[in-house]
Amino acid sequence: MARSSIIAIGASAGGVAALRSLAAALPSTLSAPILVVLHIGAYRSELPALLNAAGPLSAKHAEDGEAIYPGHIYVAPPDRHLIVADGRLRLLRGPKENCARPAIDPLFRSFAESYGPGAVGVVLTGNLNDGTLGLLEIKRCGGVAIAQDPTDADYPEMPRSAAEHVALDYCLPLAEIPKLLVELVDRKGGRDVAMPKNSSQRDGQEPEIIDSRTFERPLTVTCPDCGGALKRFEVGSIVKFGCHIGHSYTAENMAAAQFEEMEKVMRAAVRFLNERAEFCLQMAEHGWDGKPDASNDWHAASKQALDRAYKLRDLVEQDWLTPETSHQLALTLDGYEQTRLPG
């Protein structure tokens, strides 16, 4: 088994106590970085301070683009997925996964892609099954898969799911995991540690989507009227789309209806941003909670919302490509020319 070079840990319910216990048992000489995701949603997190107080390793909230150093604990901040890309930490406000942001699976997937056999993934206490698919990917790439013994976890569902679906290398009580991590990091035998890979090192293959910045093709196109799935069919040479409610469109009408709905949604977003700017400005002007710093924060939030409202409005009002109208115009002109041909 390869010697580990980097550790990622995921936890949910009961995770604060478990992570503090783990941090307390790790030595200051640990020669590997630790990346941590705890399901905290968008709420304020004091986890780095709690881990700093619990053990000798330095803990902090991860920052976008920062380098990764041994002997440090990097915690996913509120409302941001934490991933690894090109040897650095990235923070993304991508879609929620398993109803969570930050979620464990995005970190584990990027972790496996970047470090291969040098990666160690650990799933601790928690409900449901976030972390299972990511741990499976770590295992597939040659890394080490660890789960807390479900019978030892305050909330056993997450580690139980990992144990049921992944060929774990270790399934241990929480008290035994710190010693195992030290042994994996310090082990001298086995293969060399895998180095982080970047996109230029992937043999010309399409890079795996790990940062939620590229959209997958949707499974279907939905109805602009009701949101139901549309079925595509042809009547002679005419392409039509219809949903199970009964709404139907020719291709040209579908494109026009879709564009109209898109513009409506984007203009609604402009309105919400403008209203947020006004709300934050009112809070700043009324001296919310009597703290000068808070007033400055409200002013900054108002300015940010207004700036983004202007940018989105400019985007909506740009010229858009509308091949459906161009095609319809060409057909109309062609028909007009035919009526003028001599008989």
Side-chain angles (χ1 to χ4, degrees):
M1 186 177 297
R3 177 166 60 94
S4 165
S5 62
I6 186 165
I7 300 165
I9 302 173
S12 186
V16 173
L19 288 165
R20 290 189 67 195
S21 176
L22 191 149
L26 289 171
S28 61
T29 55
L30 185 73
S31 59
I34 299 177
L35 280 52
V36 172
V37 170
L38 176 70
H39 288 169
I40 54 172
Y43 297 101
R44 181 177 178 178
S45 170
E46 299 293 341
L47 184 58
L50 294 173
L51 298 182
N52 277 319
L57 296 178
S58 174
K60 65 186 293 290
H61 276 131
E63 298 178 25
D64 188 47
E66 74 174 311
I68 309 170
Y69 295 103
H72 289 71
I73 301 175
Y74 300 93
V75 178
D79 205 31
R80 294 293 185 274
H81 291 311
L82 171 64
I83 69 163
V84 181
D86 294 334
R88 291 184 174 272
L89 300 177
R90 295 296 310 279
L91 300 179
L92 306 169
R93 201 173 183 275
K96 292 181 178 180
E97 294 197 27
N98 299 312
C99 304
R101 186 176 58 226
I104 302 164
D105 278 340
L107 172 61
F108 280 10
R109 287 198 307 270
S110 69
F111 193 63
E113 172 73 10
S114 291
Y115 289 92
V120 166
V122 184
V123 171
L124 300 179
T125 174
N127 289 320
L128 301 178
N129 57 8
D130 189 27
T132 295
L133 290 176
L135 198 62
L136 189 64
E137 190 66 14
I138 288 174
K139 184 69 177 178
R140 186 186 70 81
C141 291
V144 179
I146 303 170
Q148 183 179 1
D149 185 340
T151 63
D152 176 66
D154 290 341
Y155 297 83
E157 289 183 20
M158 260 176 33
R160 180 182 295 132
S161 174
E164 289 175 351
H165 297 284
V166 182
L168 297 175
D169 295 288
Y170 302 94
C171 186
L172 301 172
L174 179 66
E176 297 180 25
I177 292 177
K179 180 181 178 182
L180 171 64
L181 296 178
V182 173
E183 291 175 352
L184 290 172
V185 170
D186 292 341
R187 186 171 295 162
K188 302 302 181 183
R191 295 163 286 174
D192 292 336
V193 173
M195 296 303 293
K197 296 179 287 185
N198 57 43
S199 56
S200 64
Q201 295 173 316
R202 294 182 184 139
D203 303 322
Q205 298 178 355
E206 283 291 318
E208 183 178 346
I209 304 306
I210 59 173
D211 63 0
S212 304
R213 292 177 178 267
T214 300
F215 293 118
E216 295 281 356
R217 290 187 65 172
L219 297 177
T220 186
V221 178
T222 55
C223 175
D225 277 313
C226 69
L230 287 172
K231 181 179 180 180
R232 180 182 183 274
F233 55 97
E234 296 180 9
V235 180
S237 61
I238 299 175
V239 176
K240 295 193 70 175
F241 294 83
C243 72
H244 62 90
I245 296 299
H247 300 120
S248 64
Y249 312 83
T250 62
E252 291 80 11
N253 285 326
M254 169 64 188
Q258 188 185 57
F259 185 88
E260 182 179 350
E261 185 66 17
M262 178 189 71
E263 184 177 15
K264 184 191 302 182
V265 170
M266 293 176 73
R267 289 195 181 280
V270 173
R271 174 174 62 84
F272 279 118
L273 284 167
N274 200 33
E275 290 177 2
R276 174 174 171 78
E278 173 60 23
F279 168 74
C280 292
L281 184 60
Q282 289 184 18
M283 297 302 290
E285 290 174 345
H286 286 80
W288 186 75
D289 78 7
K291 298 178 181 178
D293 289 345
S295 179
N296 293 337
D297 289 344
W298 284 111
H299 272 294
S302 175
K303 182 179 183 304
Q304 181 193 60
L306 197 59
D307 287 345
R308 293 182 177 181
Y310 280 124
K311 290 176 182 176
L312 184 55
R313 187 193 65 180
D314 291 342
L315 177 64
V316 177
E317 295 178 357
Q318 288 178 9
D319 288 333
W320 292 77
L321 295 175
T322 53
E324 66 276 9
T325 56
S326 300
H327 176 64
Q328 191 62 47
L329 178 61
L331 290 176
T332 302
L333 291 174
D334 184 55
Y336 174 71
E337 287 297 326
Q338 290 185 26
T339 63
R340 299 179 64 241
L341 292 175

